[in-house]
Amino acid sequence: PPLARRCLGALCREAIDGGGSVLVFCPSRAGTESAARELAELFRGEGFDPAALLSASQQRHQAQERMDIQARLQGPQQQQRPAPPPAQQGQLAQLVEQGLAYHHAGLSMEQREAVEDAFRGGVVRVLFATSTLAAGVNLPARRVVFRGLRVGMEPLDLTRYQQMAGRAGRLGLDILGESFILLESATSPRAQEEWALAAALLQRRRCGDAGNTAAADGDANDAPSTSSPPRLRSCLAAQGGLWMQ
């Protein structure tokens, strides 16, 4: 598979192996669905099953939760908007079987709530979403990954980037949240624009955090505490390497 897909797979597997979850932001609704299918295909090819990391009793409990979520995804719709196509309902249920899902405004309210509950409960370990998720739903994750820096056709601004990256790190569970920006190699004008935007966003976030560094880091002799808000480490990952701050 393409390098970007393998890189995303490695980022997700590492977080899942460590007991965490991953929130992947995509520029479009179609992008969330295609990226979820690609990762499902990659995991199948590697023989990776997130549920296999659980104990036998945990697997039994999660299997029942998964069945409940799948029933909600494929059940009758009570919303005013038309129900999603049956193929989409079945696709979501199949993805949940692998611990994956997607979330966007094209789903019914019932489906979105089922996906959110699955992510909170650990049935879904990797959730692909559009930027609207960051604005209205509190779904923290161990790791946040950006697949590009656009919302539709518009470039991501600093405020929205911080809002989305701020989902990384679960209060009470993590002392550090990680935010990765995953970009293609800068060989096209569009890709070069995204590289420049990524550098500007990371630099502006770093400058904005500089005045709070001492307060955020605390005393060097203090042990890290999960009672404090997790600190955020931002990374730019691409074919050329990995940059962190």
Side-chain angles (χ1 to χ4, degrees), residues 189-202:
R190 182 185 175 112
Q192 290 172 6
E193 289 178 6
E194 289 210 333
W195 274 86
L197 177 59
L201 288 174
L202 292 178

Side-chain angles (χ1 to χ4, degrees), residues 78-127:
Q78 304 299 325
Q79 295 72 31
Q80 294 181 353
R81 72 168 60 196
Q88 187 184 71
Q89 298 177 36
Q91 176 181 264
L92 255 179
Q94 292 173 6
L95 288 169
V96 169
E97 191 71 31
Q98 290 185 253
L100 312 175
Y102 54 81
H103 183 291
H104 57 63
L107 301 179
S108 68
M109 181 66 72
E110 182 178 83
Q111 284 189 308
R112 292 199 301 272
E113 290 177 349
V115 168
E116 291 160 16
D117 290 345
F119 191 67
R120 290 191 187 98
V123 173
V124 166
R125 305 295 295 277
V126 183
L127 179 58

Side-chain angles (χ1 to χ4, degrees), residues 19-121:
S21 54
V22 185
L23 187 55
V24 183
F25 285 111
C26 301
S28 66
R29 299 179 188 182
T32 66
E33 297 182 20
S34 62
R37 290 194 299 267
E38 289 174 358
L39 187 63
E41 180 182 350
L42 182 66
F43 278 1
R44 283 195 300 270
E46 295 176 344
F48 178 67
D49 179 10
L53 302 174
L54 304 175
S55 66
S57 62
Q58 289 174 322
Q59 288 186 38
R60 287 192 296 270
H61 178 70
Q62 191 176 92
Q64 183 58 56
E65 290 187 329
R66 187 183 303 113
M67 290 175 61
D68 293 342
I69 293 294
Q70 290 170 322
R72 291 169 61 187
L73 290 173
Q74 300 186 84
Q77 309 299 313
Q78 304 299 325
Q79 295 72 31
Q80 294 181 353
R81 72 168 60 196
Q88 187 184 71
Q89 298 177 36
Q91 176 181 264
L92 255 179
Q94 292 173 6
L95 288 169
V96 169
E97 191 71 31
Q98 290 185 253
L100 312 175
Y102 54 81
H103 183 291
H104 57 63
L107 301 179
S108 68
M109 181 66 72
E110 182 178 83
Q111 284 189 308
R112 292 199 301 272
E113 290 177 349
V115 168
E116 291 160 16
D117 290 345
F119 191 67
R120 290 191 187 98

Side-chain angles (χ1 to χ4, degrees), residues 96 179 192 204 227:
V96 169
S179 170
Q192 290 172 6
R204 290 175 65 186
S227 63

